[in-house]
Amino acid sequence: DAKTTQPNSMESNEEEPVHLPCNHSTISGTDYIHWYRQLPSQGPEYVIHGLTSNVNNRMASLAIAEDRKSSTLILHRATLRDAAVYYCILRPNTDKLIFGTGTRLQVFP
Amino acid sequence: DTEVTQTPKHLVMGMTNKKSLKCEQHMGHRAMYWYKQKAKKPPELMFVYSYEKLSINESVPSRFSPECPNSSLLNLHLHALQPEDSALYLCASSPGGIGAYNEQFFGPGTRLTVL
């Protein structure tokens, strides 16, 4: 399974944009890039996914590098409720979701 | 209903006990999963059921026994557990079929303590 590398932790102030990076240099052509987050005392929650093109949804945007070796999850205006561990996951065309160590995001008022 | 429910929320058991964890979803999803999460670690995949058949077993010890009685229900039977099996057990579901685009919906988990 291809591996992802994320910073252990990041900080942001409320209402500021947050850019969460993820490196995945061994990504294969059929791997989708998924992001999940886990709020304290909850199960993980799907955020967004993409293959090659940038993606937007109501929660976030996903920017994928042209060579697909890295991606960035963008929260446009962080709120206190966005404080969580964010996982960047490479998912081949199987049912397996293999979590990496994730980035713990702290949001300050 | 877009929820995955898990019962019980908390479970304390001795090493000789037999207990079961239950997971339910009514979204019509055909794939269901069990994950184990130790404190401050990411979730680790244990089992995957696809269309009520076990499709992936990540080399989990036999003291954990999954069961999928129907498409809405997933159980995890526990027997002769060790204290190191204490963890948060998460259930998830997804629309089904093999597909890297399918998002997984997670339940809140059962926090298990083995004494």
Side-chain angles (χ1 to χ4, degrees):
Chain A
D1 298 313
K3 195 172 155 54
T4 62
T5 304
Q6 298 177 254
N8 286 336
S9 63
M10 291 186 65
E11 297 177 353
S12 174
N13 294 317
E14 214 175 359
E15 298 191 8
E16 288 185 357
V18 181
H19 289 232
L20 297 166
C22 181
N23 286 321
H24 30 78
S25 57
T26 59
I27 191 170
S28 76
T30 54
D31 285 344
Y32 279 74
I33 302 161
H34 283 243
W35 284 81
Y36 281 73
R37 70 180 185 181
Q38 189 169 19
L39 279 65
S41 302
Q42 294 189 27
E45 173 188 32
Y46 168 82
V47 177
I48 200 166
H49 77 274
L51 184 61
T52 55
S53 305
N54 294 344
V55 184
N56 300 300
N57 67 20
R58 64 173 180 81
M59 287 181 72
S61 296
L62 175 60
I64 301 172
E66 200 168 326
D67 64 4
R68 300 207 331 125
K69 293 185 187 300
S70 66
S71 60
T72 303
L73 179 71
I74 303 163
L75 307 180
H76 295 286
R77 289 181 70 211
T79 70
L80 296 178
R81 287 173 296 177
D82 291 323
V85 178
Y86 286 78
Y87 295 102
C88 170
I89 301 164
L90 297 185
R91 189 169 179 193
N93 196 27
T94 69
D95 277 337
K96 292 175 79 163
L97 202 62
I98 307 299
F99 287 79
T101 51
T103 296
R104 183 172 299 277
L105 175 66
Q106 290 182 280
V107 180
F108 298 105
Chain B
D1 184 356
T2 58
E3 243 192 339
V4 175
T5 58
Q6 290 188 244
T7 54
K9 283 190 168 40
H10 301 272
L11 178 62
V12 179
M13 61 186 289
M15 289 190 284
T16 57
N17 292 157
K18 284 185 183 180
K19 297 285 184 184
S20 296
L21 308 184
K22 180 179 167 182
C23 172
E24 204 159 1
Q25 57 86 15
H26 296 285
M27 295 179 276
H29 289 174
R30 303 314 299 267
M32 295 186 77
Y33 312 78
W34 281 115
Y35 291 83
K36 173 182 176 179
Q37 186 173 28
K38 302 281 276 185
K40 299 197 185 302
K41 296 289 187 185
E44 296 176 8
L45 182 66
M46 298 175 73
F47 302 105
V48 180
Y49 272 83
S50 182
Y51 293 89
E52 299 164 48
K53 288 189 176 8
L54 182 65
S55 62
I56 296 175
N57 176 344
E58 290 288 282
S59 303
V60 178
S62 60
R63 57 185 184 268
F64 296 91
S65 174
E67 179 197 20
C68 189
N70 60 58
S71 60
S72 300
L73 192 54
L74 185 66
N75 296 322
L76 186 63
H77 302 299
L78 313 172
H79 173 53
L81 294 194
Q82 305 295 311
E84 58 264 31
D85 296 321
S86 298
L88 181 69
Y89 288 84
L90 293 159
C91 174
S93 70
S94 71
I98 292 177
Y101 44 83
N102 285 328
E103 79 177 84
Q104 292 187 14
F105 294 76
F106 284 81
T110 293
R111 187 158 301 282
L112 174 68
T113 303
V114 182
L115 301 176

